[in-house]
Amino acid sequence: MYHNLAFLSLAAASLCFCCASPIDDTERTLNALYPRAPATFTHPGVLLNKAQLDFIKSKVAAGVQPWSNAYSAMLADSLASSTRQPSPFQTVACGSSSMNPGDGCHEEREDALAAYANALAWYISGIKSYATKAITYMNTWAKTIKDHTASNAPLQTGWSGASWARAAEIIRYSNAGWSTTDISAFENMLRNVYLPEIIGGSKSNGNWELVMMEAAQGIAVFLNDKSSYDKAMNIFASRAPAYVYLTTDGSCPKSAPINGFTTCSQVEDYWGQYSFPQNGIAQETCRDFVHTGYSISSMSHIAETSKIQGSDLWTTAVGTRIRYALGFHSQFELGTAVPSWLCGGSVDLKGGRSDFEITEVGYNALHNRLGVAMTNTGTLTNQNRPDGINRARIILEAVRLASSTEVPSLQQLIAREPETLQPELVLRILLTYLPESTEPAQYISLLQQLALGAVHEPSQPPLRYVQPGKELSDAEALHQVRNIHLLPIAEGQDAQAGCTDQLSLFLLHRARRIDAETGLIPEVQQLLEPFVDRDSYLRTWLISNLLPLRRLDYEYYPQNDDVSTLEAFEKLEGRPAIDALLSRSYRAGVPEKPQIARDIRGIVGPWIYGGNSRKRRKMYHDQRRSSLTAPKLPEQSTGPPEDEVVAGWSDVNEWVLDFATRDFIEAADTIEQWDGPSDVDYDGYGDIEELDDDLSRGLAKQYARTGLAAIYAVTETSHYILEKSHGVLKKLARQSDLSGPLELDDLQASSVLDLSQDYLDQLTEVYLLHNALLRLDNPLTCPEQASLSFTSLILSSCLLCQKLARPRNSRNLATMALFGRREEHMEELRKTLQKVPFRTREENAWAEVRQWVLWLRDWQYQADDNASHDREGSLGVFCKIKRVDVEIELLRAFLRASCYSLAVNVYCTSGGHPIPDDILEKTVLSVAMSFYDGASNGNRTRGGIRKASDIITAFQSHFPKSESFEEANALLAATHSMSFYSLTLQHGVPFQPVNIRATKDPLYLVGKILEQNPRSYTKLDDLIDIGQNLIRARPGLAPRRDPPSSKETEQAAFTHTLDQQLSNSSRRITSVSIEAALSENDFDTAYSYIVNRLSPTLPTSPTDTSAPPQTSEMTSEDDISWRAAYLAGRFSPSRTTPTLHRLEQRLELLSLSLLLAPSPSLPEILNVWRAVEADLTTLLAREAAEEDQWNGKGDQHKSTLPGGFAPSAAELNKDLDRAANQRPRRLSRATASAANEEAPMGLFDVARGAAKAFSKNAFPLKAGAARITASTGEGKAKERPLSMGSDSGSEKGERIRKRDLVANAVTGGLASGIGWVIGAPPQGKS
């Protein structure tokens, strides 16, 4: 239908518009045509103007052909049917390919075309029903549609909008009866629904934006919208040169600004085409000709509408691009072979749709109007038009006979009608319609006669000649012939390769079709063999395609169901071809032994040497399209003649290299079994060509390079892999006439001598990248003596690493040896030594490990080399590490492996002294402490602590004066003692020795032991030993002795400081033990520790200079004492009744705390002291009352005692009188006595009693103190004797009352500061 519409529109109109101004082939910018919108739009003016419509109308009215037939065909189409009804959608949703979703897509496009068809029919015929039908379509959609959605919305809108605009222009300006209201509604639809969707352009393929701009231009004309018209033309001006290529554009096509491409590489990838030798190639040529036709059609329509509106684009570069695009694509529609450079040698002519029927508009404008010669376009245009040639009947009969396999009858027809059935036409009919299953023997004779140029009628059996096609009219025959599409004889790749023989081209095409339809390769061989010597190209094709395919599917792998086709086989190129040809050679999991060498020799070899298109190329092609992210390789030179390689063998080498990364064993076997490109099996057909000596040497050298590259590409590290690598190295040495490599375990220095500094300077890290291993200028894989020796050393290093349980591949070690940094070498060395598989104490094995590691550091190292210095220019895996650092790591490994004797022998007693003594000491201690830190148990006989202890013991004799060793021993002793206690620092996390070193105050851990171990406070001596060892092990707590001071005073101060720390640690531990005892209600132990362990040191006189200066630790002693005394003094078990003795002990302790505590703490202590005193007073009073009560009872009941006599009456009365007289006095005396004995004391009484007690040495803790320092009001220290006032209620020899004893103790603490407590003024200021 579309073809009929286009033909009616412009093909006929060409007769009335001829020979205007000639086309200007020069590139003219479209900017010169601004403003594009005319001052006044011409109507009708979308694709057709009134003159053109009138011309068509006159031709149809006169019955002139082909206009009349085309018009009849249009009316016969369903779109022009009067019964067809519109199918509007409110929302047209079109996804990809107008599906998923596809709501209203087909209906909208068909209704728009139907409106255009009826509009044309109305104008040509004048029949009003056509106009009414067109108006119905337009009005119905204008009232319904609201939006276009989904991914294809812009394209759908463009397709439909272009047709709506054409139909609307004809109806509106032909008095068709379209009302103003309806026109306004239709304008609103175009303005609001269509134009916004398309006016912005598209980044998609060019056919989208071009049809969108075609629709936008037409809608703008209908709406008289100049702004939209100019905007549409602006976008078209940038898209047109980006869609059709002209050689004047440069080496690659232009890019539409909306796509944002900035490089040729991007544009070429977008087009799918990488060379541009001719004009007319389109952006979608390599996609298919249908979409390309859409775009050329839209360009033609835009140019035609522009001409109608006053801007003739046909005479600009737009016309030039359309001209060449039509001519370029028409030639292939007519059967011209597709060249190999175009779209890979094949194009899709149909794209699954219609023919290339879009030439009418462009052909009319360029040829008929401007007189431009367009032979191919004209031929195709005429073929697509109706004609009346009667020879169509003959062609139809030949087609029928070929289709029914009536070869003799066909031969007779050919002989009778040689003018019509030319050999080329016959071959095309046979190629297209003769069934591929026909045995070649049936038509080989006919082919041979065609080749000779004379076809004879068959003699047996005689045939009756029948006039063909008598039952068909001319029109019917013409119609059927027009629907015949004969295949071209030549396919693109054959013509491009230079084959000109028509029969050979037919045979090749026929062979491919037989294989594609039947898969019968034997029949293909039967067809070709009679003609194999006819043409060299045919013979070459047979060897390079048929032979390898036959071997692949029928000889080598007949059981394989995945059979290749000739067509697919021929399309194989480059590396993908090698992958496909060798895809069956090796399959993982298949039990059969791979036959890679056989397949390269028998399949790949013939394929490479047979194809002219694959014959000879440079190995390294132009890098213009290489990835921007690829590493920059050193600049390449053209190289000597041997650097020229066959591209196919280059791909084979790459395949072998890549295969080595997957299965190096099989790759190595392949290299050993196949002798390279000269080793090819042609199955008796003979060599295709002899390689010249230079090329042969180049191929052999590159093959050797592949073997070396495979060694560096392998990622596996097994011993067998190393042996196979060594085998490959030996073969390459033989083939290249080089000295063979040393054995793997031969650690000799001779190979290093082959490595000159110049050679090493050539190497860069880039050469070890996988994509650079096969470079011709890569010295690492160049088959020369230096690279062979270096690879041999690398393989030996790999073997040692494997023995050390740290397997590394060749590339890893080469990278490390040549380009590794010291940090990387050190990290690898440490990991290697950690992986050594030998058990502990295997000292002989570890001695060998040392030799291996030193050789890995310096490949010139020998076993008797005991020098500790670094050899200049050493080369090895660990060559960036200094010798002493390597020895340090070895020492660490020896100690970890418990090889203490070996370590002492190598590093202490040997004459070489690989490690200086100071570094040796630090290293040994570091390793010991690492085991210490990793220990989970502190027992010296277990795990890491044992290891640390053994290490210290092993080296102790070699460092007898080492303070660090002493500190380590102290730490181990403390840790061992602590292991016998339960200790947890965090919930659920057991204590570990490393916590000691991580704790800022290690004595804190002793407190945790007391908290978590009941009655552990009873082991005070053990805890004190632990604490003092912790102090000795933590020299950071005191001034360091390293370096020692030469001044005796400094040494004395240090000794005093350390001693003070040890003393202070004892007091701290005693204090926390007292707390622990109290927490377990063991007051007696706490009291004992205070009395016997905490003996506070009284402050010395400031004039005493014999003692060393006091430190903060010394001044904190009494703080520990008074706090411990205060804590015990305030202790009062809640569940027991205090005894008099216990209260006296508490008062004694509180008195001590009052004596030692600082002034701010005195009120708090006094409060506790008073409470205890009150308890004591209460207890004493209760005891006195109980005593009196007991005595009273005794007096009252003494007559009841056994043996007693009852008093007489006189005596009884006398006693009663005496008692009455004495009771007041007795009570008075008792009361006075109690008052004197137990009356509450004031603070002065306390002070007086305490002074008296001190004078009598009553307090055991301070019995030896004669004087104390008192603080005066001015803050100056002053010595004075304590007040010795006596108690007035006491007599000499009278027993000391308990409360007086307590008072004595308190007084000493109050002597200097009691004044401020009671509010009295200081001495000297009263």
Side-chain angles (χ1 to χ4, degrees), residues 511-556:
R512 297 183 186 105
R513 292 182 61 81
I514 291 174
D515 176 66
E517 295 296 329
T518 68
L520 299 176
I521 292 297
E523 289 197 3
V524 174
Q525 187 172 356
Q526 181 184 358
L527 174 65
L528 298 184
E529 281 185 346
F531 306 97
V532 70
D533 293 327
R534 176 182 176 84
D535 184 76
S536 61
Y537 179 82
L538 180 63
R539 178 175 176 270
T540 300
W541 183 91
L542 185 148
I543 294 174
S544 62
N545 294 283
L546 192 61
L547 173 61
L549 182 60
R550 187 193 73 198
R551 284 174 168 168
L552 187 65
D553 289 338
Y554 291 89
E555 294 182 16
Y556 293 171

Side-chain angles (χ1 to χ4, degrees), residues 1 70-81:
M1 178 64 179
Y71 177 70
S72 299
M74 182 188 75
L75 295 181
D77 196 281
S78 62
L79 293 179
S81 171

Side-chain angles (χ1 to χ4, degrees), residues 1154-1155 1162 1243 1246-1248 1250-1251 1254 1268-1272 1280-1283 1304-1317 1323:
L1154 282 170
L1155 183 65
L1162 292 178
L1243 290 177
V1246 172
R1248 184 171 61 252
F1254 265 94
I1268 63 173
T1269 302
S1271 177
T1272 66
R1280 61 182 177 84
L1282 289 172
S1283 174
N1304 295 341
V1306 176
T1307 304
L1310 300 178
S1312 62
I1314 197 67
W1316 71 265
V1317 175
Q1323 183 178 359

